[in-house]
């Protein structure tokens, strides 16, 4: 049988930045015993012209199948994942499965997911029953400079298989650092250690000075595939664990008197490797730390001990620690640029910190990011006091507002006209991932049939279920998809509305790829009037028309239609689904995103902060 005659049951179009394809095999029955080499996964890659790409490196090449990987079936197991490296220039990935000597048990279903050069592996489904081939695996860890860690890896191999664990160390500016001396060094791959399918091994890793990030990658080396049965775990050695207080004190003691330092208090949550969601305050803190500022970040809720040091410049606090940290900072006698920045969290602690630090020459900024007075009115933010917000803002050296209504409100209550308007933005990674969706070709290929969607929280505190359901029932010829959590219990939906549950950006993009219109159906209130919704930036990045309740400054955003009544909602929706966009619309979206991405926006925030000293 010639290669071109093989049955490729899976065909998958690739993004330009894809480095690996994860192929998932699902069988409808599991074997009763282990079956070595029960099948082969054969595959090929093609460039844009359809020409097959020759594959180099450690992959099996068969005269019959071309590039292939063996499938070793395990007793009781019906799901398998195989990682395939993708050469540069690949456009289409195709794969099929063939039984070896008729030993394959069950009918096969093939699916594929992609990973880019900086995308960590999804370990959410890994287990003894569903292992993951080590080849192509990637995981990122935040580490502390000079500290010794232990890496625990659980793996197995059906026969004499050998793999490499590759380690890369980076500083806060993402510069690659030389390792300490306990590892072998491959001239092309860098530091490595072997993995040979042991049930569990523990590797000691001494982190180099100035290192704040460790990237672990897996690579097949010889023999059978080595498979991971659990996510690799990195923990400080027991004798090097520090208490939260020791971490804080040690970080402050290392400050140089000339360092630029910001104390940022926010209603947003902490940063964590377990939670990749980054809000405005998180991105501001990270950006400043990457530009050399020392950052003390005080979130609404406390981080895990392992997340206290996000990098060597960024320290996270727990509730109740800020006042004590201020005493330590004052005692250090710092002389660089010093700023205390409060993002919509003007409680009594924030006001006392502002007064104390201003007495020592610090600058102060108030950022009104949400209307906390309205949040309190609907049952949230019980700590909020209008008098404290007014006083903090009046005494601040600078004020930032994220929407025109919030800008007007803070100007009225403070009597100040020097408020700076800096709205929200789209995540850089989303703008890049959705680049192909902002094109006429994508619309013609995927959006021929009108499909309306919503991405976000579904709570009835601000999702206007009454208007939405009325519009859905009056437009029964349109289909609606809702992505998010917080769905009210007992909500009855018409036949043309589907709730898909909560999804990450990576999970929802294949769904959103078919939408023509994105909705922001918020309850019209003083709370939502002040909101600059993040989702409108996401919809623009996804190349969608948007239909929204009035809020923020949406008139400046490409493709947005505003409604006020149920009738207008229905009319604007019908107008939006009838839009047949041309390339000028997608060009307007991309132009808008050039100054509405988070890198650009936090750069403006950084310039604003540094401008307080000019």
């Amino acid at each position: 049988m010639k290669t071109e005659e093989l049955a490729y049951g899976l065909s998958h179009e690739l993004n330009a930045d894809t480095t690996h394809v994860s192929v998932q095999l699902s069988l409808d029955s599991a074997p009763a015993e282990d079956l070595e080499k029960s099948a082969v996964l054969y595959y090929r890659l093609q460039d844009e012209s359809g020409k097959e790409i020759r594959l180099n490196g450690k992959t099996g090449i068969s005269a019959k199948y071309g590039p292939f990987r063996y499938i070793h079936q395990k007793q009781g197991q019906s799901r398998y994942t195989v990682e395939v490296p993708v050469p540069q220039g690949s456009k289409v990935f195709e794969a099929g499965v063939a039984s070896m000597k008729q030993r394959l048990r069950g009918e096969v279903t093939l699916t594929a997911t992609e990973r880019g050069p900086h995308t960590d592996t999804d370990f959410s489904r890994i287990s003894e029953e569903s292992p993951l081939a080590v080849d192509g695996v990637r995981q990122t860890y935040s580490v502390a400079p000079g500290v010794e860690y232990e890496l625990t890896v659980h793996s197995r191999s059906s026969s004499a298989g050998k793999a490499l664990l590759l380690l890369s160390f980076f500083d806060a500016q993402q510069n690659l650092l030389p390792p300490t001396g306990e590892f072998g060094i491959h001239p092309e791959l860098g530091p490595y250690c072997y993995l040979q399918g042991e049930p569990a091994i523990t590797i000691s890793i001494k982190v180099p000075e100035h290192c704040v990030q460790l990237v672990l990658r897996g690579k097949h080396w010889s023999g059978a595939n080595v498979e991971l049965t659990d996510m690799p775990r990195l923990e400080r050695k027991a004798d090097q664990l520090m208490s939260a207080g020791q971490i804080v004190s040690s970080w402050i003691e290392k400050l140089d008197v000339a360092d630029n330092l910001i104390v940022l208090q926010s209603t947003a949550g902490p940063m964590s490797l377990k939670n990749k969601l980054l809000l405005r305050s998180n991105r501001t803190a990270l950006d400043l730390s990457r530009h050399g500022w020392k950052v003390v970040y005080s979130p609404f809720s406390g981080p895990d001990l392992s997340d206290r040091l996000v990098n060597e410049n960024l320290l996270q606090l727990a509730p109740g620690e800020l006042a004590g940290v201020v005493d330590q900072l004052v005692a250090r006698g710092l002389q660089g640029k010093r700023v205390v920045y409060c993002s919509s969290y003007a409680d009594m602690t924030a006001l006392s910190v502002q007064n104390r630090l201003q007495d020592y020459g610090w600058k102060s900024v108030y950022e009104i990011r949400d209307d906390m007075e309205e949040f309190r009115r609907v049952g949230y933010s019980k700590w909020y006091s209008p008098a404290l917000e007014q006083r903090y803002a009046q005494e601040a050296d600078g004020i930032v507002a994220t929407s025109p209504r919030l800008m007007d409100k803070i100007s009225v209550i403070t009597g100040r006209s020097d408020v700076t308007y800096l709205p929200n933005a789209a995540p850089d990674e989303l703008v890049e991932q959705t680049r192909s969706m902002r094109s006429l070709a994508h619309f013609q290929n995927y959006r021929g049939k009108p499909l309306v969607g919503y991405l976000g929280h579904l709570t009835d505190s601000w999702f206007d279920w009454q208007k939405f359901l009325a519009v859905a029932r009056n437009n029964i010829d349109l289909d609606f998809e809702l992505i998010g959590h917080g769905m009210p219990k007992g909500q009855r939906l018409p036949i043309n509305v589907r709730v898909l549950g909560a999804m990450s950006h990576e999970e929802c993009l294949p769904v959103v790829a078919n939408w023509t219109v994105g909705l922001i159906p918020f309850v019209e209130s003083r709370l939502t009037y002040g909101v600059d919704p993040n989702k409108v930036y996401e919809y623009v990045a996804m190349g969608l028309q948007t239909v929204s309740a009035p809020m923020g400054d949406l008139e400046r955003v490409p493709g947005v239609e505003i409604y006020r009544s149920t009738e207008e909602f229905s009319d604007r929706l019908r107008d939006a689904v009838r839009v047949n966009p041309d390339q000028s619309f997608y060009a307007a979206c991309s132009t808008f995103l050039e100054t509405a991405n988070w890198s650009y926006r936090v750069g403006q925030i950084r310039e604003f902060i540094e401008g307080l000293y000019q």
Side-chain angles (χ1 to χ4, degrees):
M1 181 184 292
K2 296 181 181 179
T3 302
E4 58 266 22
E5 296 174 349
L6 298 178
Y8 291 92
L10 171 67
S11 181
H12 187 82
E13 188 168 335
L14 301 171
N15 292 318
D17 60 349
T18 299
T19 61
H20 289 80
V21 175
S22 297
V23 184
Q24 292 84 41
L25 293 81
S26 298
L27 295 98
D28 60 4
S29 63
E33 73 283 344
D34 289 353
L35 296 175
E36 295 293 306
K37 299 183 179 179
S38 66
V40 291
L41 171 77
Y42 55 87
Y43 55 91
R44 66 184 178 190
L45 293 127
Q46 299 172 329
D47 61 19
E48 285 197 351
S49 65
K51 182 179 179 182
E52 189 166 345
I53 296 175
R54 296 179 62 87
L55 299 175
N56 299 318
K58 292 182 177 295
T59 184
I61 302 289
S62 164
K64 180 177 181 180
Y65 298 109
F68 75 94
R69 296 288 179 88
Y70 282 117
I71 305 301
H72 306 283
Q73 285 190 275
K74 304 293 193 303
Q75 182 177 351
Q77 184 178 333
S78 59
R79 290 191 303 168
Y80 303 84
T81 301
V82 179
E83 291 273 345
V84 179
V86 173
Q88 193 171 14
S90 300
K91 184 62 177 176
V92 177
F93 173 81
E94 296 181 323
V97 174
S99 179
M100 299 290 288
K101 301 178 181 178
Q102 303 303 313
R103 302 182 72 198
L104 185 66
R105 297 293 185 265
E107 294 296 320
V108 181
T109 301
L110 289 175
T111 56
T113 56
E114 301 174 49
R115 287 199 297 108
H118 306 298
T119 307
D120 284 350
T121 301
D122 180 7
F123 288 102
S124 61
R125 298 180 180 177
I126 193 171
S127 66
E128 285 279 355
E129 293 73 33
S130 183
L132 182 65
V134 72
D135 193 41
V137 160
R138 185 185 192 277
Q139 183 60 30
T140 303
Y141 305 91
S142 292
V143 293
V147 173
E148 194 166 355
Y149 290 81
E150 290 182 336
L151 178 69
T152 302
V153 183
H154 296 266
S155 65
R156 71 183 188 195
S157 178
S158 55
S159 57
K162 182 182 289 187
L164 300 182
L165 293 177
L166 307 176
L167 303 107
S168 302
F169 302 92
F170 297 93
D171 64 14
Q173 287 72 45
Q174 287 296 294
N175 297 313
L176 185 64
L177 300 173
T180 51
E182 67 266 37
F183 301 109
I185 306 291
H186 188 278
E188 295 179 3
L189 303 175
Y192 71 92
C193 54
Y194 283 113
L195 186 64
Q196 296 182 278
E198 299 91 338
I201 63 168
T202 300
I203 303 163
S204 293
I205 300 174
K206 178 67 178 297
V207 174
E209 290 298 326
H210 309 297
C211 176
V212 298
Q213 187 182 81
L214 166 64
V215 176
L216 178 72
R217 293 175 293 124
K219 183 174 180 59
H220 174 71
W221 196 245
S222 63
N225 285 334
V226 178
E227 297 173 319
L228 298 179
T229 57
D230 194 7
M231 175 180 174
R233 309 288 175 179
L234 186 73
E235 297 178 338
R236 283 177 183 253
K237 279 197 169 182
D239 59 354
Q240 298 209 7
L241 291 175
M242 298 172 67
S243 68
Q246 289 172 325
I247 292 173
V248 171
S249 297
S250 174
W251 188 85
I252 293 174
E253 288 171 4
K254 293 178 181 178
L255 292 174
D256 188 277
V257 293
D259 281 335
N260 296 329
L261 188 142
I262 184 169
V263 173
L264 199 165
Q265 186 182 13
S266 174
T267 53
M271 286 158 275
S272 169
L273 285 175
K274 294 183 290 187
N275 177 19
K276 300 298 179 68
L277 178 65
L278 295 176
L279 301 180
R280 182 186 181 101
S281 299
N282 306 129
R283 294 181 184 275
T284 300
L286 281 168
D287 179 79
L288 287 167
S289 73
R290 290 166 180 163
H291 282 82
W293 279 74
K294 301 294 183 180
V295 182
V296 176
Y297 177 58
S298 182
F300 187 77
S301 56
D304 292 340
L305 187 66
S306 59
D307 293 320
R308 286 305 193 107
L309 289 178
V310 179
N311 58 53
E312 64 180 351
N313 287 341
L314 178 47
L315 172 71
Q316 295 195 101
L317 302 182
E321 290 183 337
L322 183 55
V325 167
V326 166
D327 289 339
Q328 296 181 62
L329 293 174
V330 167
R332 292 285 288 128
L334 303 174
Q335 298 299 314
K337 295 174 183 175
R338 291 151 292 149
V339 177
V340 54
Y341 193 108
C342 177
S343 182
S344 281
Y345 198 6
D347 62 357
M348 185 58 76
T349 298
L351 190 63
S352 63
V353 167
Q354 179 195 44
N355 292 340
R356 180 92 193 279
L357 292 178
Q358 282 182 322
D359 287 343
Y360 285 85
W362 289 54
K363 302 292 186 181
S364 169
V365 176
Y366 184 62
E367 177 181 84
I368 181 166
R369 195 181 76 247
D370 286 302
D371 194 332
M372 289 302 171
E373 184 173 7
E374 295 305 315
F375 270 103
R376 181 181 173 88
R377 198 186 305 277
V378 297
Y380 298 94
S381 307
K382 299 293 183 63
W383 51 267
Y384 173 80
S385 164
L388 294 180
E389 180 179 49
Q390 178 188 36
R391 183 172 173 184
Y392 195 107
Q394 284 176 331
E395 297 186 8
D397 296 283
I399 303 177
V400 171
T402 61
S403 76
R405 285 184 180 266
L406 293 179
M407 187 177 179
D408 292 343
K409 176 178 180 175
I410 203 68
S411 295
V412 168
I413 67 175
T414 60
R416 296 176 57 164
S417 59
D418 60 338
V419 180
T420 299
Y421 171 47
L422 292 174
N424 290 320
D428 296 66
E429 57 274 19
L430 181 66
V431 173
E432 184 58 35
Q433 289 169 343
T434 55
R435 185 180 298 276
S436 64
M437 296 170 68
R438 299 189 300 277
S439 69
L440 194 57
H442 182 88
F443 182 88
Q444 293 169 341
N445 291 332
Y446 297 96
R447 292 174 169 162
K449 179 183 177 183
L451 183 57
V452 182
Y454 170 81
L455 179 63
H457 209 293
L458 297 169
T459 176
D460 53 12
S461 294
W462 47 80
F463 187 101
D464 195 337
W465 281 101
Q466 183 176 356
K467 279 193 179 75
F468 170 75
L469 291 176
V471 168
R473 292 186 179 109
N474 290 334
N475 293 274
I476 201 67
D477 58 318
L478 298 180
D479 291 323
F480 297 81
E481 293 182 338
L482 309 180
I483 297 175
H485 57 90
M487 175 82 175
K489 292 182 179 179
Q491 186 69 263
R492 299 184 64 182
L493 301 175
I495 194 170
N496 58 335
V497 177
R498 295 172 59 213
V499 177
L500 305 181
M503 296 181 183
S504 67
H505 278 150
E506 288 74 17
E507 292 169 330
C508 79
L509 287 181
V511 178
V512 177
N514 297 301
W515 292 359
T516 48
V517 177
L519 297 181
I520 311 180
F522 285 3
V523 175
E524 190 172 350
S525 67
R526 285 187 291 183
L527 172 60
T528 57
Y529 286 156
V531 171
D532 183 44
N534 285 307
K535 66 180 90 295
V536 74
Y537 300 96
E538 297 169 357
Y539 291 162
V540 172
M542 296 165 179
L544 297 174
Q545 305 292 316
T546 302
V547 176
S548 174
M551 66 189 75
D553 188 18
L554 297 186
E555 289 81 1
R556 68 192 169 87
V557 182
V560 174
E561 294 285 345
I562 307 297
Y563 67 85
R564 291 188 176 275
S565 65
T566 303
E567 292 74 20
E568 281 192 359
F569 188 171
S570 186
D571 291 344
R572 297 294 85 77
L573 179 60
R574 301 300 303 190
D575 292 341
V577 298
R578 284 194 290 262
V579 169
N580 190 15
D582 56 22
Q583 194 55 47
S584 65
F585 167 70
Y586 298 109
C589 290
S590 296
T591 299
F592 174 79
L593 292 168
E594 288 176 3
T595 56
N597 62 76
W598 274 120
S599 288
Y600 186 91
R601 187 73 72 239
V602 293
Q604 290 180 302
I605 295 172
R606 188 176 68 251
E607 290 176 4
F608 175 82
I609 291 170
E610 293 175 346
L612 297 175
Y613 280 85
Q614 295 176 356

